[in-house]
Amino acid sequence: MPFCPNCGNEIDDGSKFCPNCGNPMDGPAPAGNAQQSSGGSLFNDLKKGGLDLKKKMDNYAHGEHREIQRPEGCLYFMNGLQGTLAIFEDYIEFDFSGSAMKKYMSGFGGVKKVYYHQINSIQKRDATDMVNGTIEFELPGMAASAFSQNENLITFLPKYQDEANKIYDFVNNKILEINNAKTQPSQIVQTEVSPMAKLKEAKELLDMGVITQEEFDEIKAKCLADL
């Protein structure tokens, strides 16, 4: 039986296209290519098997075999290697208490709430088939390090990539809004004094001898006119 020279898949005699990769077949593959194609197929099988094993190990390490509770009211959520990450309107919340693995990987083992004004920056490394992604939050006085235990870092599986993108955009916008608000000049609010308050103040000044009766009468007339 011939083999596809492109992917090494076995094909039926006389097939014009490989059913596996769609490569056009002008005729039976040369006999000399059979061993090479078989080797390519073996490599693909090993690669696929390795990826499947990695996914199974990652799923177990992340606790995907357990039922994951999404906190009520959170906007975005992901289950990471170190713990879960929930994004709320005013703050983010890490929960590192899910398992012994998460407690060890986080080096923390508790629940942590961080408000957006406490966050200096957010960093994201996208996931691929071979490498998991990370989201890390930099807080004042804490150095960022994606390859060590860090209670502000979550390692996520590729299936959470879309959620990671949404989290990054949302948190980054929150940080920008807070920083822009800090740079806006503060507005001085002037409280208008009522005519009766001015009249009362003038009467106190009159009693203290600070102003004369004539000055008080002028202030009184103006205050009554403003009522």
PDB file of all heavy atoms in Angstrom, residues 188-214:
ATOM      1  N   ILE A 188     -11.309  72.924  42.979  1.00  0.00           N
ATOM      2  CA  ILE A 188     -11.627  73.511  44.275  1.00  0.00           C
ATOM      3  C   ILE A 188     -13.119  73.828  44.323  1.00  0.00           C
ATOM      4  O   ILE A 188     -13.639  74.586  43.496  1.00  0.00           O
ATOM      5  CB  ILE A 188     -10.808  74.794  44.503  1.00  0.00           C
ATOM      6  CG1 ILE A 188      -9.310  74.461  44.452  1.00  0.00           C
ATOM      7  CG2 ILE A 188     -11.183  75.443  45.829  1.00  0.00           C
ATOM      8  CD1 ILE A 188      -8.422  75.679  44.572  1.00  0.00           C
ATOM      9  N   VAL A 189     -13.792  73.256  45.256  1.00  0.00           N
ATOM     10  CA  VAL A 189     -15.226  73.466  45.401  1.00  0.00           C
ATOM     11  C   VAL A 189     -15.457  74.638  46.337  1.00  0.00           C
ATOM     12  O   VAL A 189     -15.028  74.614  47.504  1.00  0.00           O
ATOM     13  CB  VAL A 189     -15.918  72.199  45.957  1.00  0.00           C
ATOM     14  CG1 VAL A 189     -17.412  72.447  46.113  1.00  0.00           C
ATOM     15  CG2 VAL A 189     -15.653  71.012  45.046  1.00  0.00           C
ATOM     16  N   GLN A 190     -16.080  75.666  45.820  1.00  0.00           N
ATOM     17  CA  GLN A 190     -16.374  76.845  46.624  1.00  0.00           C
ATOM     18  C   GLN A 190     -17.822  76.790  47.085  1.00  0.00           C
ATOM     19  O   GLN A 190     -18.742  76.680  46.278  1.00  0.00           O
ATOM     20  CB  GLN A 190     -16.126  78.117  45.815  1.00  0.00           C
ATOM     21  CG  GLN A 190     -14.664  78.316  45.414  1.00  0.00           C
ATOM     22  CD  GLN A 190     -14.452  79.603  44.656  1.00  0.00           C
ATOM     23  OE1 GLN A 190     -15.409  80.251  44.225  1.00  0.00           O
ATOM     24  NE2 GLN A 190     -13.194  79.974  44.485  1.00  0.00           N
ATOM     25  N   THR A 191     -18.020  76.880  48.392  1.00  0.00           N
ATOM     26  CA  THR A 191     -19.347  76.838  48.960  1.00  0.00           C
ATOM     27  C   THR A 191     -19.877  78.265  49.099  1.00  0.00           C
ATOM     28  O   THR A 191     -19.236  79.127  49.727  1.00  0.00           O
ATOM     29  CB  THR A 191     -19.337  76.162  50.342  1.00  0.00           C
ATOM     30  OG1 THR A 191     -18.764  74.864  50.204  1.00  0.00           O
ATOM     31  CG2 THR A 191     -20.729  76.052  50.910  1.00  0.00           C
ATOM     32  N   GLU A 192     -20.999  78.528  48.503  1.00  0.00           N
ATOM     33  CA  GLU A 192     -21.588  79.867  48.557  1.00  0.00           C
ATOM     34  C   GLU A 192     -22.238  80.089  49.916  1.00  0.00           C
ATOM     35  O   GLU A 192     -23.008  79.253  50.396  1.00  0.00           O
ATOM     36  CB  GLU A 192     -22.614  80.016  47.430  1.00  0.00           C
ATOM     37  CG  GLU A 192     -23.203  81.415  47.344  1.00  0.00           C
ATOM     38  CD  GLU A 192     -24.188  81.560  46.190  1.00  0.00           C
ATOM     39  OE1 GLU A 192     -24.309  80.588  45.412  1.00  0.00           O
ATOM     40  OE2 GLU A 192     -24.803  82.621  46.078  1.00  0.00           O
ATOM     41  N   VAL A 193     -21.923  81.232  50.530  1.00  0.00           N
ATOM     42  CA  VAL A 193     -22.482  81.580  51.835  1.00  0.00           C
ATOM     43  C   VAL A 193     -23.841  82.239  51.630  1.00  0.00           C
ATOM     44  O   VAL A 193     -23.990  83.166  50.808  1.00  0.00           O
ATOM     45  CB  VAL A 193     -21.536  82.527  52.602  1.00  0.00           C
ATOM     46  CG1 VAL A 193     -22.105  82.863  53.976  1.00  0.00           C
ATOM     47  CG2 VAL A 193     -20.156  81.889  52.727  1.00  0.00           C
ATOM     48  N   SER A 194     -24.843  81.796  52.367  1.00  0.00           N
ATOM     49  CA  SER A 194     -26.190  82.334  52.224  1.00  0.00           C
ATOM     50  C   SER A 194     -26.275  83.748  52.780  1.00  0.00           C
ATOM     51  O   SER A 194     -25.477  84.147  53.651  1.00  0.00           O
ATOM     52  CB  SER A 194     -27.187  81.436  52.957  1.00  0.00           C
ATOM     53  OG  SER A 194     -26.955  81.488  54.360  1.00  0.00           O
ATOM     54  N   PRO A 195     -27.239  84.560  52.296  1.00  0.00           N
ATOM     55  CA  PRO A 195     -27.396  85.939  52.812  1.00  0.00           C
ATOM     56  C   PRO A 195     -27.621  85.988  54.321  1.00  0.00           C
ATOM     57  O   PRO A 195     -27.095  86.867  55.004  1.00  0.00           O
ATOM     58  CB  PRO A 195     -28.611  86.455  52.039  1.00  0.00           C
ATOM     59  CG  PRO A 195     -28.624  85.653  50.777  1.00  0.00           C
ATOM     60  CD  PRO A 195     -28.148  84.296  51.175  1.00  0.00           C
ATOM     61  N   MET A 196     -28.385  85.030  54.855  1.00  0.00           N
ATOM     62  CA  MET A 196     -28.656  85.025  56.291  1.00  0.00           C
ATOM     63  C   MET A 196     -27.387  84.743  57.085  1.00  0.00           C
ATOM     64  O   MET A 196     -27.184  85.300  58.174  1.00  0.00           O
ATOM     65  CB  MET A 196     -29.732  83.991  56.614  1.00  0.00           C
ATOM     66  CG  MET A 196     -31.115  84.348  56.077  1.00  0.00           C
ATOM     67  SD  MET A 196     -31.673  85.980  56.632  1.00  0.00           S
ATOM     68  CE  MET A 196     -31.738  85.739  58.393  1.00  0.00           C
ATOM     69  N   ALA A 197     -26.508  83.870  56.536  1.00  0.00           N
ATOM     70  CA  ALA A 197     -25.236  83.591  57.214  1.00  0.00           C
ATOM     71  C   ALA A 197     -24.346  84.817  57.219  1.00  0.00           C
ATOM     72  O   ALA A 197     -23.651  85.122  58.205  1.00  0.00           O
ATOM     73  CB  ALA A 197     -24.541  82.420  56.537  1.00  0.00           C
ATOM     74  N   LYS A 198     -24.346  85.558  56.095  1.00  0.00           N
ATOM     75  CA  LYS A 198     -23.569  86.797  56.023  1.00  0.00           C
ATOM     76  C   LYS A 198     -24.091  87.821  57.027  1.00  0.00           C
ATOM     77  O   LYS A 198     -23.312  88.539  57.688  1.00  0.00           O
ATOM     78  CB  LYS A 198     -23.630  87.362  54.606  1.00  0.00           C
ATOM     79  CG  LYS A 198     -22.912  86.541  53.556  1.00  0.00           C
ATOM     80  CD  LYS A 198     -23.031  87.206  52.190  1.00  0.00           C
ATOM     81  CE  LYS A 198     -22.323  86.375  51.117  1.00  0.00           C
ATOM     82  NZ  LYS A 198     -22.458  86.985  49.773  1.00  0.00           N
ATOM     83  N   LEU A 199     -25.429  87.903  57.146  1.00  0.00           N
ATOM     84  CA  LEU A 199     -26.033  88.858  58.083  1.00  0.00           C
ATOM     85  C   LEU A 199     -25.681  88.500  59.522  1.00  0.00           C
ATOM     86  O   LEU A 199     -25.380  89.382  60.350  1.00  0.00           O
ATOM     87  CB  LEU A 199     -27.561  88.882  57.887  1.00  0.00           C
ATOM     88  CG  LEU A 199     -28.341  89.877  58.748  1.00  0.00           C
ATOM     89  CD1 LEU A 199     -27.849  91.304  58.496  1.00  0.00           C
ATOM     90  CD2 LEU A 199     -29.843  89.761  58.481  1.00  0.00           C
ATOM     91  N   LYS A 200     -25.720  87.199  59.821  1.00  0.00           N
ATOM     92  CA  LYS A 200     -25.371  86.749  61.167  1.00  0.00           C
ATOM     93  C   LYS A 200     -23.911  87.086  61.492  1.00  0.00           C
ATOM     94  O   LYS A 200     -23.585  87.541  62.604  1.00  0.00           O
ATOM     95  CB  LYS A 200     -25.601  85.244  61.289  1.00  0.00           C
ATOM     96  CG  LYS A 200     -25.283  84.692  62.662  1.00  0.00           C
ATOM     97  CD  LYS A 200     -25.532  83.194  62.708  1.00  0.00           C
ATOM     98  CE  LYS A 200     -25.163  82.628  64.084  1.00  0.00           C
ATOM     99  NZ  LYS A 200     -25.370  81.145  64.129  1.00  0.00           N
ATOM    100  N   GLU A 201     -23.037  86.871  60.511  1.00  0.00           N
ATOM    101  CA  GLU A 201     -21.622  87.161  60.712  1.00  0.00           C
ATOM    102  C   GLU A 201     -21.411  88.661  60.924  1.00  0.00           C
ATOM    103  O   GLU A 201     -20.606  89.097  61.773  1.00  0.00           O
ATOM    104  CB  GLU A 201     -20.820  86.685  59.503  1.00  0.00           C
ATOM    105  CG  GLU A 201     -19.323  86.907  59.631  1.00  0.00           C
ATOM    106  CD  GLU A 201     -18.560  86.447  58.407  1.00  0.00           C
ATOM    107  OE1 GLU A 201     -19.199  85.880  57.477  1.00  0.00           O
ATOM    108  OE2 GLU A 201     -17.328  86.644  58.372  1.00  0.00           O
ATOM    109  N   ALA A 202     -22.163  89.481  60.164  1.00  0.00           N
ATOM    110  CA  ALA A 202     -22.043  90.934  60.302  1.00  0.00           C
ATOM    111  C   ALA A 202     -22.517  91.389  61.679  1.00  0.00           C
ATOM    112  O   ALA A 202     -21.927  92.300  62.290  1.00  0.00           O
ATOM    113  CB  ALA A 202     -22.850  91.641  59.213  1.00  0.00           C
ATOM    114  N   LYS A 203     -23.597  90.770  62.195  1.00  0.00           N
ATOM    115  CA  LYS A 203     -24.108  91.135  63.530  1.00  0.00           C
ATOM    116  C   LYS A 203     -23.066  90.816  64.600  1.00  0.00           C
ATOM    117  O   LYS A 203     -22.875  91.600  65.560  1.00  0.00           O
ATOM    118  CB  LYS A 203     -25.390  90.351  63.810  1.00  0.00           C
ATOM    119  CG  LYS A 203     -26.028  90.681  65.162  1.00  0.00           C
ATOM    120  CD  LYS A 203     -26.473  92.137  65.216  1.00  0.00           C
ATOM    121  CE  LYS A 203     -27.327  92.422  66.459  1.00  0.00           C
ATOM    122  NZ  LYS A 203     -26.608  92.194  67.709  1.00  0.00           N
ATOM    123  N   GLU A 204     -22.365  89.692  64.446  1.00  0.00           N
ATOM    124  CA  GLU A 204     -21.325  89.327  65.406  1.00  0.00           C
ATOM    125  C   GLU A 204     -20.180  90.333  65.361  1.00  0.00           C
ATOM    126  O   GLU A 204     -19.622  90.714  66.405  1.00  0.00           O
ATOM    127  CB  GLU A 204     -20.807  87.914  65.113  1.00  0.00           C
ATOM    128  CG  GLU A 204     -21.835  86.828  65.369  1.00  0.00           C
ATOM    129  CD  GLU A 204     -21.334  85.459  64.966  1.00  0.00           C
ATOM    130  OE1 GLU A 204     -20.253  85.381  64.326  1.00  0.00           O
ATOM    131  OE2 GLU A 204     -22.032  84.451  65.244  1.00  0.00           O
ATOM    132  N   LEU A 205     -19.842  90.792  64.157  1.00  0.00           N
ATOM    133  CA  LEU A 205     -18.785  91.802  64.028  1.00  0.00           C
ATOM    134  C   LEU A 205     -19.208  93.126  64.635  1.00  0.00           C
ATOM    135  O   LEU A 205     -18.388  93.858  65.234  1.00  0.00           O
ATOM    136  CB  LEU A 205     -18.419  91.975  62.547  1.00  0.00           C
ATOM    137  CG  LEU A 205     -17.781  90.769  61.863  1.00  0.00           C
ATOM    138  CD1 LEU A 205     -17.581  91.047  60.371  1.00  0.00           C
ATOM    139  CD2 LEU A 205     -16.439  90.423  62.510  1.00  0.00           C
ATOM    140  N   LEU A 206     -20.506  93.463  64.495  1.00  0.00           N
ATOM    141  CA  LEU A 206     -21.022  94.696  65.086  1.00  0.00           C
ATOM    142  C   LEU A 206     -20.943  94.635  66.604  1.00  0.00           C
ATOM    143  O   LEU A 206     -20.522  95.596  67.266  1.00  0.00           O
ATOM    144  CB  LEU A 206     -22.464  94.927  64.626  1.00  0.00           C
ATOM    145  CG  LEU A 206     -23.183  96.128  65.272  1.00  0.00           C
ATOM    146  CD1 LEU A 206     -22.488  97.436  64.867  1.00  0.00           C
ATOM    147  CD2 LEU A 206     -24.665  96.148  64.843  1.00  0.00           C
ATOM    148  N   ASP A 207     -21.355  93.494  67.156  1.00  0.00           N
ATOM    149  CA  ASP A 207     -21.336  93.332  68.613  1.00  0.00           C
ATOM    150  C   ASP A 207     -19.912  93.380  69.157  1.00  0.00           C
ATOM    151  O   ASP A 207     -19.680  93.809  70.299  1.00  0.00           O
ATOM    152  CB  ASP A 207     -22.000  92.013  69.015  1.00  0.00           C
ATOM    153  CG  ASP A 207     -23.488  91.991  68.690  1.00  0.00           C
ATOM    154  OD1 ASP A 207     -24.058  93.090  68.505  1.00  0.00           O
ATOM    155  OD2 ASP A 207     -24.066  90.885  68.591  1.00  0.00           O
ATOM    156  N   MET A 208     -18.960  92.944  68.340  1.00  0.00           N
ATOM    157  CA  MET A 208     -17.561  92.944  68.767  1.00  0.00           C
ATOM    158  C   MET A 208     -16.917  94.307  68.554  1.00  0.00           C
ATOM    159  O   MET A 208     -15.793  94.550  69.007  1.00  0.00           O
ATOM    160  CB  MET A 208     -16.775  91.885  67.989  1.00  0.00           C
ATOM    161  CG  MET A 208     -17.218  90.454  68.289  1.00  0.00           C
ATOM    162  SD  MET A 208     -16.470  89.265  67.147  1.00  0.00           S
ATOM    163  CE  MET A 208     -14.728  89.556  67.430  1.00  0.00           C
ATOM    164  N   GLY A 209     -17.626  95.203  67.871  1.00  0.00           N
ATOM    165  CA  GLY A 209     -17.087  96.524  67.626  1.00  0.00           C
ATOM    166  C   GLY A 209     -16.151  96.596  66.444  1.00  0.00           C
ATOM    167  O   GLY A 209     -15.446  97.598  66.253  1.00  0.00           O
ATOM    168  N   VAL A 210     -16.142  95.533  65.636  1.00  0.00           N
ATOM    169  CA  VAL A 210     -15.252  95.512  64.480  1.00  0.00           C
ATOM    170  C   VAL A 210     -15.778  96.412  63.372  1.00  0.00           C
ATOM    171  O   VAL A 210     -15.005  97.062  62.649  1.00  0.00           O
ATOM    172  CB  VAL A 210     -15.059  94.064  63.979  1.00  0.00           C
ATOM    173  CG1 VAL A 210     -14.192  94.041  62.730  1.00  0.00           C
ATOM    174  CG2 VAL A 210     -14.466  93.207  65.070  1.00  0.00           C
ATOM    175  N   ILE A 211     -17.133  96.475  63.209  1.00  0.00           N
ATOM    176  CA  ILE A 211     -17.740  97.333  62.200  1.00  0.00           C
ATOM    177  C   ILE A 211     -18.706  98.291  62.910  1.00  0.00           C
ATOM    178  O   ILE A 211     -19.158  98.051  64.037  1.00  0.00           O
ATOM    179  CB  ILE A 211     -18.492  96.526  61.118  1.00  0.00           C
ATOM    180  CG1 ILE A 211     -19.635  95.703  61.754  1.00  0.00           C
ATOM    181  CG2 ILE A 211     -17.545  95.611  60.363  1.00  0.00           C
ATOM    182  CD1 ILE A 211     -20.489  94.962  60.738  1.00  0.00           C
ATOM    183  N   THR A 212     -19.014  99.386  62.209  1.00  0.00           N
ATOM    184  CA  THR A 212     -19.925 100.381  62.769  1.00  0.00           C
ATOM    185  C   THR A 212     -21.362 100.009  62.454  1.00  0.00           C
ATOM    186  O   THR A 212     -21.632  99.114  61.649  1.00  0.00           O
ATOM    187  CB  THR A 212     -19.620 101.765  62.190  1.00  0.00           C
ATOM    188  OG1 THR A 212     -19.884 101.744  60.773  1.00  0.00           O
ATOM    189  CG2 THR A 212     -18.169 102.155  62.425  1.00  0.00           C
ATOM    190  N   GLN A 213     -22.319 100.798  63.092  1.00  0.00           N
ATOM    191  CA  GLN A 213     -23.734 100.556  62.849  1.00  0.00           C
ATOM    192  C   GLN A 213     -24.081 100.847  61.392  1.00  0.00           C
ATOM    193  O   GLN A 213     -24.873 100.136  60.778  1.00  0.00           O
ATOM    194  CB  GLN A 213     -24.582 101.430  63.781  1.00  0.00           C
ATOM    195  CG  GLN A 213     -26.082 101.218  63.655  1.00  0.00           C
ATOM    196  CD  GLN A 213     -26.514  99.836  64.078  1.00  0.00           C
ATOM    197  OE1 GLN A 213     -26.086  99.340  65.116  1.00  0.00           O
ATOM    198  NE2 GLN A 213     -27.362  99.194  63.286  1.00  0.00           N
ATOM    199  N   GLU A 214     -23.459 101.846  60.827  1.00  0.00           N
ATOM    200  CA  GLU A 214     -23.742 102.202  59.432  1.00  0.00           C
ATOM    201  C   GLU A 214     -23.277 101.077  58.490  1.00  0.00           C
ATOM    202  O   GLU A 214     -23.989 100.728  57.529  1.00  0.00           O
ATOM    203  CB  GLU A 214     -23.026 103.513  59.060  1.00  0.00           C
ATOM    204  CG  GLU A 214     -23.603 104.746  59.721  1.00  0.00           C
ATOM    205  CD  GLU A 214     -23.161 104.884  61.179  1.00  0.00           C
ATOM    206  OE1 GLU A 214     -22.284 104.080  61.611  1.00  0.00           O
ATOM    207  OE2 GLU A 214     -23.697 105.764  61.865  1.00  0.00           O
TER     208      GLU A 214
END
